[in-house]
Amino acid sequence: MDNLTHKMNKSWRSLRSVCLGLVGVLALSLATPSMAGNLRLKFAGTLPVEHQGSKMMEQIADEIEAADVGLKVSVFPANQLGSGEELLEDAMRGNIDFVMGFIYSHKDPTFEVNSMPYLVSSWDEMEKTVRNPDSAFNQIVSESLDKLGLRLISNNPEGFSNLVAQKKPDDFAGLGAKGMNTRVWSSNAVKDTMQAIGYNTTTMAYAEIFAAVQSGVVDGAICCTRQSAHAIFAKSGVGKYFVDYNAFMELTTFYGSKKTWNKMNEEQQKVVQAAFEKASDEYFQWNKANDEKYAKELIAAGYEILTPSQEEIAVLSEKVRSEVWPSMAQVVGQDVIDRLQADLK
């Protein structure tokens, strides 16, 4: 009897050890990022399907999947999963994994730096200020995204976001009243800038601007690079004028959910980061090379491009910097403005 009991206890201990081992392996597989396995990622954007930015989204998805590290990517351009504001919120919740879009300031006023008027005035300044990961601009954006549970991958300046209009603004190059109402996005800095140079303004989401300009709800919209103006408006026969104020960068950002990032193993993270960085580099060079091309495309489509002289731009920018930058400091903090200005010197 004692011998039988001994054998039964030994068998029970062996079985218990096996079960505990299996439980440990299961727990480790659930808790350790290196055991992430297969993931299906949702990558959402706001640009039209035919836009070069949306093509870069497809390139990123193809390169991630080609690496064969257990990642599949579904791409949703053209506001299919919501506006820029909605995509930010869904990424914060982890419902969307990666986004290519403009970061609005409705969740953190610090993001008003994305709309800071006359922060840069050339492609070279964009590269130094916006694309350099060590710049004050990128550090500020990264810190603010991190607080929301998001991860900055890269900022993508596409050019300057200028005015598409159905009619020619009065005194378009001066500080006088323009006699028209223009759409602005949800930024006090943009609204204050356009009002400072003589426009009436209406705030509306990016997804609403085509119908609003087409129907005459607004006379024009601050919204678009030359490429976007051509793709969204000119090809559809909407709008007649494009005004080159060059006050605002047209900026999209690659960012992602930290929840998603932490689910991926190290190999997957490296593949994703490399695919996004490559696309960001290529996209910037493409935008820079094609800016003049789309000016010609706009003219061919019947648009007139209105460009203030350098002297007129100097007057406009001085007015805006003296009136709008101090009010921005009250929103984003003087320390943020100081960091940006120190980096520009």
Side-chain angles (χ1 to χ4, degrees):
M1 186 70 177
D2 288 343
N3 187 43
L4 178 61
T5 300
H6 175 74
K7 288 181 178 179
M8 289 178 65
N9 287 339
K10 183 176 181 181
S11 297
W12 167 246
R13 285 196 299 270
S14 298
L15 179 61
R16 183 171 179 270
S17 296
V18 171
C19 290
L20 288 173
L22 289 173
V23 170
V25 169
L26 178 60
L28 186 63
S29 69
L30 292 174
T32 306
S34 62
M35 303 294 288
N38 296 332
L39 293 173
R40 166 67 70 174
L41 304 176
K42 287 194 285 188
F43 183 17
T46 58
L47 297 169
V49 173
E50 67 275 13
H51 192 282
Q52 186 67 18
S54 297
K55 294 176 183 178
M56 300 313 294
M57 292 176 66
E58 294 288 352
Q59 174 182 306
I60 290 167
D62 290 343
E63 293 193 1
I64 290 174
E65 293 189 357
D68 195 22
V69 291
L71 298 175
K72 298 294 182 182
V73 185
S74 297
V75 176
F76 302 92
N79 296 294
Q80 290 176 22
L81 297 187
S83 66
E85 293 94 334
E86 292 166 332
L87 295 183
L88 182 77
E89 294 169 14
D90 271 340
M92 289 168 59
R93 299 185 190 103
N95 297 334
I96 292 174
D97 302 296
F98 294 98
V99 176
M100 180 182 188
F102 183 80
I103 301 177
Y104 295 91
S105 60
H106 64 303
K107 289 298 180 181
D108 185 341
T110 306
F111 292 123
E112 278 285 88
V113 297
N114 289 329
S115 303
M116 191 168 180
Y118 293 111
L119 176 65
V120 298
S121 57
S122 69
W123 289 95
D124 288 344
E125 289 179 3
M126 284 181 190
E127 182 136 34
K128 175 185 174 184
T129 301
V130 183
R131 302 200 68 249
N132 175 9
D134 297 322
S135 70
F137 182 90
N138 270 286
Q139 291 170 5
I140 290 164
V141 172
S142 180
E143 292 162 7
S144 298
L145 284 174
D146 185 69
K147 293 174 185 177
L148 299 178
L150 301 170
R151 177 185 175 87
L152 173 65
I153 301 175
S154 65
N155 280 307
N156 307 304
E158 300 175 6
F160 289 98
S161 186
N162 280 312
L163 178 69
V164 171
Q166 286 280 41
K167 65 179 186 178
K168 186 175 181 178
D170 298 336
D171 190 28
F172 81 89
L175 295 172
K178 303 299 185 283
M180 60 183 287
N181 180 32
T182 185
R183 171 265 181 182
V184 295
W185 61 85
S186 54
S187 162
N188 286 331
V190 179
K191 176 176 67 68
D192 292 347
T193 295
M194 297 310 292
Q195 291 178 354
I197 64 174
Y199 287 90
N200 297 323
T201 62
T202 297
T203 301
M204 63 178 61
Y206 187 88
E208 301 170 359
I209 59 176
F210 177 83
V213 174
Q214 183 183 44
S215 64
V217 171
V218 292
D219 301 308
I222 280 283
C223 64
C224 306
T225 62
R226 293 166 174 177
Q227 182 202 170
S228 296
H230 180 260
I232 298 170
F233 293 97
K235 287 178 72 174
S236 299
V238 176
K240 297 178 181 178
Y241 298 93
F242 187 82
V243 189
D244 277 328
Y245 288 119
N246 289 359
F248 309 104
M249 286 182 292
E250 179 78 2
L251 182 67
T252 54
T253 301
F254 290 145
Y255 65 92
S257 165
K258 287 173 65 178
K259 292 179 181 179
T260 299
W261 189 261
N262 292 334
K263 288 178 185 177
M264 297 189 296
N265 61 40
E266 185 176 352
E267 183 183 20
Q268 291 170 334
Q269 290 172 351
K270 287 180 178 179
V271 165
V272 169
Q273 187 73 28
F276 273 100
E277 287 182 357
K278 178 184 175 185
S280 182
D281 291 343
E282 293 179 359
Y283 188 43
F284 181 73
Q285 294 304 324
W286 189 94
N287 282 309
K288 185 176 178 180
N290 283 273
D291 195 43
E292 286 303 319
K293 170 191 169 183
Y294 280 100
K296 295 176 182 177
E297 295 281 357
L298 283 172
I299 293 169
Y303 265 65
E304 181 179 351
I305 297 179
L306 305 173
T307 304
S309 68
Q310 289 299 313
E311 293 77 15
E312 289 166 332
I313 288 289
V315 173
L316 294 170
S317 63
E318 177 59 31
K319 168 83 169 176
V320 169
R321 287 172 176 170
S322 64
E323 292 188 5
V324 179
W325 283 21
S327 62
M328 286 192 69
Q330 298 174 21
V331 176
V332 304
Q334 187 61 51
D335 60 320
V336 169
I337 300 297
D338 290 344
R339 288 171 69 184
L340 290 170
Q341 289 180 321
D343 215 27
L344 295 176
K345 294 178 181 178

PDB file of all heavy atoms in Angstrom, residues 84-107:
ATOM      1  N   GLY A  84      -9.424  63.611 -39.739  1.00  0.00           N
ATOM      2  CA  GLY A  84      -8.165  63.635 -39.009  1.00  0.00           C
ATOM      3  C   GLY A  84      -8.362  63.648 -37.505  1.00  0.00           C
ATOM      4  O   GLY A  84      -7.629  62.972 -36.758  1.00  0.00           O
ATOM      5  N   GLU A  85      -9.350  64.401 -37.035  1.00  0.00           N
ATOM      6  CA  GLU A  85      -9.632  64.439 -35.602  1.00  0.00           C
ATOM      7  C   GLU A  85     -10.081  63.069 -35.098  1.00  0.00           C
ATOM      8  O   GLU A  85      -9.654  62.609 -34.040  1.00  0.00           O
ATOM      9  CB  GLU A  85     -10.721  65.476 -35.295  1.00  0.00           C
ATOM     10  CG  GLU A  85     -10.313  66.920 -35.547  1.00  0.00           C
ATOM     11  CD  GLU A  85     -10.701  67.418 -36.932  1.00  0.00           C
ATOM     12  OE1 GLU A  85     -10.820  66.576 -37.851  1.00  0.00           O
ATOM     13  OE2 GLU A  85     -10.883  68.622 -37.096  1.00  0.00           O
ATOM     14  N   GLU A  86     -10.945  62.410 -35.873  1.00  0.00           N
ATOM     15  CA  GLU A  86     -11.470  61.101 -35.465  1.00  0.00           C
ATOM     16  C   GLU A  86     -10.385  60.023 -35.487  1.00  0.00           C
ATOM     17  O   GLU A  86     -10.364  59.138 -34.627  1.00  0.00           O
ATOM     18  CB  GLU A  86     -12.634  60.719 -36.380  1.00  0.00           C
ATOM     19  CG  GLU A  86     -13.859  61.596 -36.185  1.00  0.00           C
ATOM     20  CD  GLU A  86     -14.877  61.445 -37.296  1.00  0.00           C
ATOM     21  OE1 GLU A  86     -14.487  61.116 -38.439  1.00  0.00           O
ATOM     22  OE2 GLU A  86     -16.078  61.665 -37.031  1.00  0.00           O
ATOM     23  N   LEU A  87      -9.500  60.095 -36.471  1.00  0.00           N
ATOM     24  CA  LEU A  87      -8.422  59.109 -36.547  1.00  0.00           C
ATOM     25  C   LEU A  87      -7.496  59.213 -35.339  1.00  0.00           C
ATOM     26  O   LEU A  87      -7.034  58.201 -34.805  1.00  0.00           O
ATOM     27  CB  LEU A  87      -7.623  59.291 -37.838  1.00  0.00           C
ATOM     28  CG  LEU A  87      -8.377  59.027 -39.151  1.00  0.00           C
ATOM     29  CD1 LEU A  87      -7.434  59.163 -40.338  1.00  0.00           C
ATOM     30  CD2 LEU A  87      -9.039  57.660 -39.150  1.00  0.00           C
ATOM     31  N   LEU A  88      -7.213  60.448 -34.913  1.00  0.00           N
ATOM     32  CA  LEU A  88      -6.377  60.637 -33.727  1.00  0.00           C
ATOM     33  C   LEU A  88      -7.017  59.974 -32.518  1.00  0.00           C
ATOM     34  O   LEU A  88      -6.353  59.244 -31.755  1.00  0.00           O
ATOM     35  CB  LEU A  88      -6.174  62.132 -33.467  1.00  0.00           C
ATOM     36  CG  LEU A  88      -5.276  62.471 -32.272  1.00  0.00           C
ATOM     37  CD1 LEU A  88      -3.815  62.271 -32.633  1.00  0.00           C
ATOM     38  CD2 LEU A  88      -5.502  63.904 -31.799  1.00  0.00           C
ATOM     39  N   GLU A  89      -8.300  60.178 -32.337  1.00  0.00           N
ATOM     40  CA  GLU A  89      -9.000  59.618 -31.183  1.00  0.00           C
ATOM     41  C   GLU A  89      -9.051  58.099 -31.244  1.00  0.00           C
ATOM     42  O   GLU A  89      -8.860  57.414 -30.218  1.00  0.00           O
ATOM     43  CB  GLU A  89     -10.408  60.214 -31.104  1.00  0.00           C
ATOM     44  CG  GLU A  89     -10.418  61.705 -30.799  1.00  0.00           C
ATOM     45  CD  GLU A  89     -11.791  62.338 -30.975  1.00  0.00           C
ATOM     46  OE1 GLU A  89     -12.782  61.575 -31.080  1.00  0.00           O
ATOM     47  OE2 GLU A  89     -11.875  63.579 -31.007  1.00  0.00           O
ATOM     48  N   ASP A  90      -9.289  57.536 -32.434  1.00  0.00           N
ATOM     49  CA  ASP A  90      -9.339  56.081 -32.563  1.00  0.00           C
ATOM     50  C   ASP A  90      -7.966  55.452 -32.361  1.00  0.00           C
ATOM     51  O   ASP A  90      -7.859  54.339 -31.835  1.00  0.00           O
ATOM     52  CB  ASP A  90      -9.907  55.687 -33.933  1.00  0.00           C
ATOM     53  CG  ASP A  90     -11.424  55.555 -33.912  1.00  0.00           C
ATOM     54  OD1 ASP A  90     -11.984  55.383 -32.817  1.00  0.00           O
ATOM     55  OD2 ASP A  90     -12.049  55.620 -34.980  1.00  0.00           O
ATOM     56  N   ALA A  91      -6.905  56.146 -32.792  1.00  0.00           N
ATOM     57  CA  ALA A  91      -5.556  55.639 -32.543  1.00  0.00           C
ATOM     58  C   ALA A  91      -5.242  55.670 -31.049  1.00  0.00           C
ATOM     59  O   ALA A  91      -4.579  54.767 -30.517  1.00  0.00           O
ATOM     60  CB  ALA A  91      -4.531  56.453 -33.321  1.00  0.00           C
ATOM     61  N   MET A  92      -5.710  56.694 -30.347  1.00  0.00           N
ATOM     62  CA  MET A  92      -5.521  56.763 -28.899  1.00  0.00           C
ATOM     63  C   MET A  92      -6.190  55.569 -28.214  1.00  0.00           C
ATOM     64  O   MET A  92      -5.661  55.020 -27.246  1.00  0.00           O
ATOM     65  CB  MET A  92      -6.103  58.068 -28.351  1.00  0.00           C
ATOM     66  CG  MET A  92      -5.321  59.321 -28.716  1.00  0.00           C
ATOM     67  SD  MET A  92      -6.217  60.856 -28.336  1.00  0.00           S
ATOM     68  CE  MET A  92      -6.480  60.678 -26.567  1.00  0.00           C
ATOM     69  N   ARG A  93      -7.343  55.147 -28.722  1.00  0.00           N
ATOM     70  CA  ARG A  93      -8.059  54.009 -28.138  1.00  0.00           C
ATOM     71  C   ARG A  93      -7.467  52.674 -28.564  1.00  0.00           C
ATOM     72  O   ARG A  93      -7.802  51.632 -27.992  1.00  0.00           O
ATOM     73  CB  ARG A  93      -9.533  54.058 -28.554  1.00  0.00           C
ATOM     74  CG  ARG A  93     -10.291  55.299 -28.106  1.00  0.00           C
ATOM     75  CD  ARG A  93     -11.761  55.198 -28.461  1.00  0.00           C
ATOM     76  NE  ARG A  93     -12.455  56.452 -28.246  1.00  0.00           N
ATOM     77  CZ  ARG A  93     -12.806  57.302 -29.211  1.00  0.00           C
ATOM     78  NH1 ARG A  93     -12.526  57.006 -30.476  1.00  0.00           N
ATOM     79  NH2 ARG A  93     -13.420  58.434 -28.933  1.00  0.00           N
ATOM     80  N   GLY A  94      -6.630  52.692 -29.594  1.00  0.00           N
ATOM     81  CA  GLY A  94      -6.082  51.452 -30.118  1.00  0.00           C
ATOM     82  C   GLY A  94      -6.953  50.809 -31.170  1.00  0.00           C
ATOM     83  O   GLY A  94      -6.689  49.680 -31.606  1.00  0.00           O
ATOM     84  N   ASN A  95      -8.009  51.504 -31.615  1.00  0.00           N
ATOM     85  CA  ASN A  95      -8.896  50.965 -32.651  1.00  0.00           C
ATOM     86  C   ASN A  95      -8.268  51.048 -34.041  1.00  0.00           C
ATOM     87  O   ASN A  95      -8.638  50.296 -34.945  1.00  0.00           O
ATOM     88  CB  ASN A  95     -10.233  51.716 -32.660  1.00  0.00           C
ATOM     89  CG  ASN A  95     -10.987  51.548 -31.356  1.00  0.00           C
ATOM     90  OD1 ASN A  95     -10.814  50.555 -30.652  1.00  0.00           O
ATOM     91  ND2 ASN A  95     -11.816  52.517 -31.013  1.00  0.00           N
ATOM     92  N   ILE A  96      -7.365  52.010 -34.230  1.00  0.00           N
ATOM     93  CA  ILE A  96      -6.592  52.149 -35.462  1.00  0.00           C
ATOM     94  C   ILE A  96      -5.122  52.072 -35.063  1.00  0.00           C
ATOM     95  O   ILE A  96      -4.712  52.635 -34.047  1.00  0.00           O
ATOM     96  CB  ILE A  96      -6.904  53.480 -36.170  1.00  0.00           C
ATOM     97  CG1 ILE A  96      -8.341  53.460 -36.701  1.00  0.00           C
ATOM     98  CG2 ILE A  96      -5.923  53.751 -37.313  1.00  0.00           C
ATOM     99  CD1 ILE A  96      -8.801  54.775 -37.279  1.00  0.00           C
ATOM    100  N   ASP A  97      -4.346  51.368 -35.870  1.00  0.00           N
ATOM    101  CA  ASP A  97      -2.956  51.098 -35.488  1.00  0.00           C
ATOM    102  C   ASP A  97      -1.997  52.189 -35.938  1.00  0.00           C
ATOM    103  O   ASP A  97      -1.137  52.626 -35.172  1.00  0.00           O
ATOM    104  CB  ASP A  97      -2.532  49.747 -36.059  1.00  0.00           C
ATOM    105  CG  ASP A  97      -3.438  48.625 -35.576  1.00  0.00           C
ATOM    106  OD1 ASP A  97      -3.448  48.364 -34.362  1.00  0.00           O
ATOM    107  OD2 ASP A  97      -4.166  48.040 -36.404  1.00  0.00           O
ATOM    108  N   PHE A  98      -2.133  52.641 -37.192  1.00  0.00           N
ATOM    109  CA  PHE A  98      -1.244  53.672 -37.725  1.00  0.00           C
ATOM    110  C   PHE A  98      -2.061  54.667 -38.545  1.00  0.00           C
ATOM    111  O   PHE A  98      -3.089  54.322 -39.141  1.00  0.00           O
ATOM    112  CB  PHE A  98      -0.133  53.059 -38.588  1.00  0.00           C
ATOM    113  CG  PHE A  98       0.819  52.213 -37.805  1.00  0.00           C
ATOM    114  CD1 PHE A  98       0.688  50.835 -37.772  1.00  0.00           C
ATOM    115  CD2 PHE A  98       1.841  52.802 -37.065  1.00  0.00           C
ATOM    116  CE1 PHE A  98       1.550  50.052 -37.034  1.00  0.00           C
ATOM    117  CE2 PHE A  98       2.704  52.027 -36.312  1.00  0.00           C
ATOM    118  CZ  PHE A  98       2.560  50.649 -36.294  1.00  0.00           C
ATOM    119  N   VAL A  99      -1.571  55.913 -38.577  1.00  0.00           N
ATOM    120  CA  VAL A  99      -2.291  56.997 -39.245  1.00  0.00           C
ATOM    121  C   VAL A  99      -1.327  57.819 -40.079  1.00  0.00           C
ATOM    122  O   VAL A  99      -0.181  58.046 -39.680  1.00  0.00           O
ATOM    123  CB  VAL A  99      -2.994  57.913 -38.212  1.00  0.00           C
ATOM    124  CG1 VAL A  99      -3.664  59.099 -38.906  1.00  0.00           C
ATOM    125  CG2 VAL A  99      -4.020  57.127 -37.389  1.00  0.00           C
ATOM    126  N   MET A 100      -1.810  58.253 -41.238  1.00  0.00           N
ATOM    127  CA  MET A 100      -1.143  59.321 -41.985  1.00  0.00           C
ATOM    128  C   MET A 100      -2.139  60.469 -42.051  1.00  0.00           C
ATOM    129  O   MET A 100      -3.136  60.397 -42.771  1.00  0.00           O
ATOM    130  CB  MET A 100      -0.767  58.878 -43.398  1.00  0.00           C
ATOM    131  CG  MET A 100      -0.068  59.982 -44.190  1.00  0.00           C
ATOM    132  SD  MET A 100       0.330  59.462 -45.882  1.00  0.00           S
ATOM    133  CE  MET A 100       1.343  60.882 -46.397  1.00  0.00           C
ATOM    134  N   GLY A 101      -1.895  61.508 -41.294  1.00  0.00           N
ATOM    135  CA  GLY A 101      -2.840  62.607 -41.269  1.00  0.00           C
ATOM    136  C   GLY A 101      -2.291  63.812 -40.544  1.00  0.00           C
ATOM    137  O   GLY A 101      -1.246  63.750 -39.882  1.00  0.00           O
ATOM    138  N   PHE A 102      -3.001  64.909 -40.659  1.00  0.00           N
ATOM    139  CA  PHE A 102      -2.660  66.113 -39.914  1.00  0.00           C
ATOM    140  C   PHE A 102      -3.101  65.934 -38.463  1.00  0.00           C
ATOM    141  O   PHE A 102      -4.165  65.371 -38.192  1.00  0.00           O
ATOM    142  CB  PHE A 102      -3.359  67.331 -40.532  1.00  0.00           C
ATOM    143  CG  PHE A 102      -3.002  68.636 -39.878  1.00  0.00           C
ATOM    144  CD1 PHE A 102      -1.826  69.280 -40.188  1.00  0.00           C
ATOM    145  CD2 PHE A 102      -3.852  69.213 -38.943  1.00  0.00           C
ATOM    146  CE1 PHE A 102      -1.481  70.484 -39.581  1.00  0.00           C
ATOM    147  CE2 PHE A 102      -3.533  70.417 -38.332  1.00  0.00           C
ATOM    148  CZ  PHE A 102      -2.338  71.061 -38.659  1.00  0.00           C
ATOM    149  N   ILE A 103      -2.275  66.409 -37.529  1.00  0.00           N
ATOM    150  CA  ILE A 103      -2.621  66.294 -36.113  1.00  0.00           C
ATOM    151  C   ILE A 103      -3.235  67.613 -35.655  1.00  0.00           C
ATOM    152  O   ILE A 103      -2.548  68.632 -35.549  1.00  0.00           O
ATOM    153  CB  ILE A 103      -1.384  65.961 -35.260  1.00  0.00           C
ATOM    154  CG1 ILE A 103      -0.763  64.639 -35.722  1.00  0.00           C
ATOM    155  CG2 ILE A 103      -1.770  65.860 -33.785  1.00  0.00           C
ATOM    156  CD1 ILE A 103       0.511  64.275 -34.989  1.00  0.00           C
ATOM    157  N   TYR A 104      -4.520  67.582 -35.403  1.00  0.00           N
ATOM    158  CA  TYR A 104      -5.231  68.762 -34.929  1.00  0.00           C
ATOM    159  C   TYR A 104      -5.013  68.925 -33.416  1.00  0.00           C
ATOM    160  O   TYR A 104      -4.574  68.001 -32.731  1.00  0.00           O
ATOM    161  CB  TYR A 104      -6.721  68.648 -35.252  1.00  0.00           C
ATOM    162  CG  TYR A 104      -7.004  68.644 -36.743  1.00  0.00           C
ATOM    163  CD1 TYR A 104      -7.057  67.451 -37.449  1.00  0.00           C
ATOM    164  CD2 TYR A 104      -7.196  69.830 -37.439  1.00  0.00           C
ATOM    165  CE1 TYR A 104      -7.305  67.436 -38.817  1.00  0.00           C
ATOM    166  CE2 TYR A 104      -7.448  69.831 -38.799  1.00  0.00           C
ATOM    167  CZ  TYR A 104      -7.494  68.624 -39.486  1.00  0.00           C
ATOM    168  OH  TYR A 104      -7.733  68.614 -40.837  1.00  0.00           O
ATOM    169  N   SER A 105      -5.375  70.104 -32.925  1.00  0.00           N
ATOM    170  CA  SER A 105      -5.047  70.445 -31.533  1.00  0.00           C
ATOM    171  C   SER A 105      -6.206  70.234 -30.566  1.00  0.00           C
ATOM    172  O   SER A 105      -6.159  70.720 -29.437  1.00  0.00           O
ATOM    173  CB  SER A 105      -4.591  71.905 -31.461  1.00  0.00           C
ATOM    174  OG  SER A 105      -5.601  72.777 -31.925  1.00  0.00           O
ATOM    175  N   HIS A 106      -7.242  69.486 -30.981  1.00  0.00           N
ATOM    176  CA  HIS A 106      -8.417  69.358 -30.118  1.00  0.00           C
ATOM    177  C   HIS A 106      -8.155  68.508 -28.868  1.00  0.00           C
ATOM    178  O   HIS A 106      -8.892  68.596 -27.897  1.00  0.00           O
ATOM    179  CB  HIS A 106      -9.596  68.783 -30.909  1.00  0.00           C
ATOM    180  CG  HIS A 106      -9.405  67.395 -31.423  1.00  0.00           C
ATOM    181  ND1 HIS A 106      -8.352  67.055 -32.251  1.00  0.00           N
ATOM    182  CD2 HIS A 106     -10.120  66.251 -31.228  1.00  0.00           C
ATOM    183  CE1 HIS A 106      -8.439  65.771 -32.549  1.00  0.00           C
ATOM    184  NE2 HIS A 106      -9.490  65.262 -31.937  1.00  0.00           N
ATOM    185  N   LYS A 107      -7.091  67.690 -28.892  1.00  0.00           N
ATOM    186  CA  LYS A 107      -6.748  66.872 -27.728  1.00  0.00           C
ATOM    187  C   LYS A 107      -5.572  67.427 -26.931  1.00  0.00           C
ATOM    188  O   LYS A 107      -5.359  67.030 -25.796  1.00  0.00           O
ATOM    189  CB  LYS A 107      -6.435  65.437 -28.162  1.00  0.00           C
ATOM    190  CG  LYS A 107      -7.656  64.649 -28.625  1.00  0.00           C
ATOM    191  CD  LYS A 107      -8.667  64.496 -27.507  1.00  0.00           C
ATOM    192  CE  LYS A 107      -9.874  63.730 -27.933  1.00  0.00           C
ATOM    193  NZ  LYS A 107     -10.891  63.599 -26.856  1.00  0.00           N
TER     194      LYS A 107
END
